[in-house]
Amino acid sequence: MQMVSLGKSGPKVSAIGLGCMGMSGMYGPADRTESIATIHAALDAGINLLDTGDFYGMGHNEMLIGEALKDCDRDQVLLSVKFGAMRDAAGAWLGYDARPKAVRNFLAYTLQRLGVEYIDIYRPSRLDPDVPIEDTIGAVAEMVKAGYVRHIGLSEVGPETIRRAAAVHPICDLQIEYSLVSRGIEDEILPTCRELGIGITAYGVLSRGLISGHWQKGAAGSGDFRAMSPRFQEGNVDQNLALVEALRRVADAKGVTVAQIAIAWVAAHGADIVPLIGARRRDRLSEALGAQSLRLDADDMAAIERSVPKGAAAGARYPEAQLAHMDSERHG
């Protein structure tokens, strides 16, 4: 497994990370035993970066990871945790809370659920519109001084917020969606991060399975985020799946899978970009790991661009109500 520096101030991380959200029901039912086996397989393959959020399954995801890591060497694993999203007992979203005292509270519960003494990378999940980013990052910086957090990250924020946060404390990475069909970071956000020496951990590299090559129309059941995601809706999904079939022809010509070429495309944009693979099963993880050995030359990149041109996807990446909370969308 190739290792890279996560930004100029961050730790050494595997060139691919494991996103664990799908193991807590966000995409329909998940298998606890298979989830833990997948985490172990990822660690065995050299992946050291595990990404979660304290609101994934209302704490379920952190407890699952804690169980998986019980007999592992803590110092060999990097835990990246998002905080701040509020949910009710029915799972509905209630907005965000990134006040300093809320930061301290969220962190205390996260440490308990994961069964660890520190978090490697701690980040607000979104910008709280009621709290200056300086206050939130300042509170996390206090937790760094206290030894409970090692590094500070950001998630789904725009250039101005990134600069303001970095003025308070070094930021190791920005976690944000980046894929063949979600390329909004290329214009302003990615150049800002590169100027400041901030890495990118890219989630949604397969657009929640849409461009994995495995997705079938109408496959989202109840409780699956994709059932309400615009890109999976009637009127959009057929156009998007047509893009996948065009990409499949490029992948077939190289003797690789659609998922592998989509992951390799993200990785090809720089060593400062670490794709997060949202595998819930060992077979999907194994497929994703195959992207590591795939090198794309200029001809390959041009063929991929022809099959999935920038802006070709139909539908937004989140429902409108969620996009309204995303600083990265407002300030591209």
Side-chain angles (χ1 to χ4, degrees):
M1 174 64 68
Q2 183 187 353
M3 303 297 284
V4 297
S5 291
L6 193 57
K8 68 181 180 184
S9 70
K12 286 277 188 191
V13 302
S14 47
I16 290 177
L18 182 66
C20 299
M21 181 179 78
M23 298 175 181
S24 293
M26 301 292 280
Y27 298 129
D31 180 317
R32 186 178 194 85
T33 302
E34 182 62 23
S35 294
I36 290 174
T38 301
I39 292 171
H40 289 164
L43 297 174
D44 290 344
I47 289 176
N48 71 344
L49 178 63
L50 302 182
D51 182 78
T52 184
D54 61 12
F55 49 92
Y56 292 169
M58 281 77 94
H60 174 277
N61 206 240
E62 289 180 326
M63 290 189 286
L64 178 77
I65 292 170
E67 184 180 341
L69 297 182
K70 255 192 315 212
D71 299 317
C72 298
D73 182 347
R74 170 67 185 96
D75 293 330
Q76 298 304 307
V77 182
L78 294 167
L79 294 171
S80 166
V81 180
K82 291 178 291 299
F83 69 88
M86 309 279 282
R87 304 180 73 178
D88 67 16
W93 300 97
L94 302 174
Y96 301 93
D97 189 352
R99 294 169 299 160
K101 67 180 179 182
V103 172
R104 294 190 285 273
N105 175 74
F106 286 135
L107 178 60
Y109 280 77
T110 279
L111 293 169
Q112 181 70 24
R113 284 188 293 254
L114 283 165
V116 298
E117 295 180 352
Y118 65 90
I119 302 301
D120 297 278
I121 310 168
Y122 202 50
R123 68 184 83 241
S125 62
R126 298 287 186 269
L127 178 66
D128 182 340
D130 299 321
V131 180
I133 191 65
E134 291 87 350
D135 293 0
T136 303
I137 298 304
V140 184
E142 289 177 9
M143 297 299 96
V144 172
K145 282 184 192 153
Y148 296 119
V149 171
R150 296 278 169 91
H151 304 277
I152 302 178
L154 295 168
S155 176
E156 287 289 357
V157 291
E160 181 191 346
T161 303
I162 294 167
R163 291 184 189 281
R164 288 170 55 190
V168 176
H169 188 278
I171 302 297
C172 69
D173 72 314
L174 170 70
Q175 188 174 119
I176 196 161
E177 187 167 359
Y178 187 45
S179 74
L180 266 167
V181 294
S182 295
R183 293 163 65 172
I185 73 168
E186 293 176 346
D187 298 333
E188 293 184 56
I189 291 174
L190 183 55
T192 299
C193 286
R194 285 179 166 160
E195 176 195 332
L196 297 172
I198 296 170
I200 298 285
T201 41
Y203 75 87
V205 292
L206 299 179
S207 196
R208 306 176 190 281
L210 181 65
I211 58 171
S212 67
H214 302 297
W215 176 259
Q216 302 280 321
K217 184 179 175 181
S222 68
D224 190 324
F225 170 86
R226 293 169 293 201
M228 63 172 189
S229 173
R231 289 184 174 165
F232 293 85
Q233 301 300 309
E234 196 63 50
N236 293 334
V237 69
D238 290 327
Q239 179 178 327
N240 293 332
L241 289 178
L243 297 174
V244 176
E245 291 314 304
L247 185 61
R248 193 186 304 277
R249 290 190 284 275
V250 180
D252 287 347
K254 284 195 71 72
V256 298
T257 69
V258 174
Q260 287 167 343
I261 207 164
I263 295 165
W265 181 90
V266 172
H269 283 79
D272 56 346
I273 301 176
V274 176
L276 295 174
I277 307 304
R280 298 191 288 171
R281 302 183 343 220
R282 284 168 287 181
D283 59 337
R284 295 285 194 253
L285 172 68
S286 179
E287 179 187 16
L289 288 169
Q292 286 184 101
S293 57
L294 180 54
R295 295 290 173 264
L296 301 175
D297 61 24
D299 289 342
D300 294 327
M301 295 297 276
I304 293 168
E305 183 68 31
R306 286 192 297 272
S307 66
V308 187
K310 186 172 182 175
R317 59 194 184 101
Y318 279 91
E320 198 55 47
Q322 292 189 38
L323 285 176
H325 290 288
M326 294 170 73
D327 185 62
S328 51
E329 289 289 313
R330 290 196 296 277
H331 304 287

